[in-house]
């Protein structure tokens, strides 16, 4: 029987990929478990590092879970290994596994990119002394995109000679291209960035595929919202509270909107910011909200359990899903809000432009972004909410691509 390995963070590890993967497993065709020996490979140290309660889980929704140190460096010939790669420190172990793997590994290898530009996590690994990511190794995996410029650019950034914006454009795709048979992205824009901004000469990667995020599957009657106990107008911002997610702009825009609303309208507005905040003073959005007079209108919720996170999305009347124009990332929180027919405001750029059913697109650069945010709040609170015409995605969800992989492997084995 062929084997299928998923290399990924899992709940309760605090990262959006963990929630994403939890939903993927719940959506996975149960026949896949009959056709392949499936297991999840994750980092058991994350429990201690993040101070999480409870023991390292042995199963997730019935699928066995193992630590990455217990897994063979190269997947055997009967194994399909799927790496989930993102741009934060929760994925260090996955990047290390991929770096250790031979370019001639016999098993099939797929890399799912949540973010084609992954310079930030590689720079983090370089600074923290991860053995596979010394300066020269990171420089090597940048050369597919930057060629001979890579070493000089990396040294320049490390010495503070280059702007921080460089973080959002550098791919660090060398390991994924040289060790993967296929690369999957969640947007056509992301796929095109990988394809057209990298040199594939001598690389193992032979295919790039686009797949949709897993979607929540509503049970009968579940989509009907619970009766509201108040007349609040709830504005939601979800995910890591970082500059690329434009949280500061939302706070400024909501403050500007309040100045334009009638007292009765103003009293209804509640802004809920749900996500992990970086250490003060790097990005002190709490202080900003207080200085702008939002004390009675804003609530900050540190990264909550997944069930509570989902409830906060369902309770929203308007969701801001914004992003610095960088890499072509899409967003699971956008998909979740659309599932519950909630109006979504997204940044007018790149991968978000591929999404359907967005209520409004806004500019990215200040001050236009802040003015657009204020306009959206004022219009949303005064316009009756209507059912959104969300067109079904024309690309298969990731769980469908996984099932196709397993079925193909099974047929080949037979």
């Amino acid at each position: 029987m062929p084997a299928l390995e998923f290399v990924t963070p899992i709940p309760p590890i605090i990262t959006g990929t963990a929630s994403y993967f939890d939903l993927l497993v719940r959506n996975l065709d149960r026949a896949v478990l009959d056709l392949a020996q499936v297991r999840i490979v994750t980092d058991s140290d994350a429990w201690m590092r993040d101070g999480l309660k409870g023991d390292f889980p042995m199963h997730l929704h019935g699928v066995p879970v193992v630590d990455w140190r217990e897994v063979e460096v190269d997947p055997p010939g009967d194994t399909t290994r799927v790496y989930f790669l993102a741009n934060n420190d929760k994925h260090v172990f996955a990047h290390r596994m991929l770096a250790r793997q031979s370019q001639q590994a016999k098993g099939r290898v797929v890399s799912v990119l949540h973010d084609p530009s992954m310079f930030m996590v590689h720079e983090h690994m370089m600074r923290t002394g991860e053995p596979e990511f010394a300066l020269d190794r990171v420089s090597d995996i940048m050369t597919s995109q930057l060629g001979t410029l890579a070493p000089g650019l990396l040294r320049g950034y490390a010495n503070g000679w280059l702007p921080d914006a460089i973080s959002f454009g550098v791919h660090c795709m060398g390991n994924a291209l040289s060790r993967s048979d296929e690369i999957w992205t969640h947007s056509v824009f992301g796929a095109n960035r990988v394809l057209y901004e990298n040199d594939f000469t001598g690389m193992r990667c032979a295919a790039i595929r686009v797949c949709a995020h897993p979607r929540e599957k509503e049970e009968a009657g579940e989509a009907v919202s619970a009766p509201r106990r108040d007349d609040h107008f709830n504005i939601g911002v979800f995910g890591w509270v970082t500059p690329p997610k434009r949280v500061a702009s939302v706070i400024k825009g909501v403050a500007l909107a309040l100045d334009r609303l009638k007292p009765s309208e103003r009293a209804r507005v509640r802004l809920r910011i749900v996500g992990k905040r970086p250490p003060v003073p790097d990005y002190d959005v709490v202080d900003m909200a207080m200085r702008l007079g939002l004390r009675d209108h804003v609530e900050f919720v540190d990264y909550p359990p997944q069930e509570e996170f989902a409830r906060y999305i369902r309770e929203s009347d308007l969701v801001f899903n914004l992003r610095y124009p960088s890499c072509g990332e899409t967003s699971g929180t956008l998909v979740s809000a659309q599932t519950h027919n909630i109006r979504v405001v997204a940044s007018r750029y790149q991968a978000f432009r591929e999404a359907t059913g967005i209520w409004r697109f806004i500019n990215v650069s200040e001050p236009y972004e802040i003015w657009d945010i204020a306009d959206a709040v004022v219009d949303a609170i005064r316009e009756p909410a209507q059912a959104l015409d969300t067109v079904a995605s024309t690309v298969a969800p990731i769980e469908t691509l996984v099932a196709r992989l397993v079925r193909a492997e099974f047929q080949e084995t037979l």
Side-chain angles (χ1 to χ4, degrees), residues 3-8 37-44 56 64-76 79-83 93-94 96-98 100-102 105 108-109:
L4 174 63
E5 296 177 343
F6 294 114
V7 181
T8 178
Q37 293 179 324
V38 183
R39 65 176 178 175
I40 299 164
V41 182
T42 194
D43 183 10
S44 63
F56 178 70
V65 176
V66 299
D67 181 72
W68 69 282
R69 299 166 188 85
E70 302 173 19
V71 175
E72 295 179 65
V73 173
D74 285 357
T79 298
T80 296
R81 179 177 291 174
V82 183
Y83 291 97
F93 80 98
R96 290 184 69 183
M97 278 188 67
L98 185 61
R100 291 179 179 185
Q101 181 190 293
S102 167
R108 177 188 288 149
V109 179

Side-chain angles (χ1 to χ4, degrees), residues 133-149:
F133 297 97
L135 188 144
D136 60 331
R137 297 289 296 277
V138 174
S139 177
D140 287 344
I141 60 179
M142 292 165 58
T143 56
S144 63
Q145 181 191 21
L146 301 171
T148 57
L149 295 176

Side-chain angles (χ1 to χ4, degrees), residues 213 238-239 309 313 319 321 323 331-338 344:
H213 273 257
F238 300 92
F309 189 91
I313 292 179
V319 167
N321 206 296
R323 191 68 51 80
S331 173
T333 55
L334 185 155
V335 172
S336 182
Q338 289 180 319
V344 177

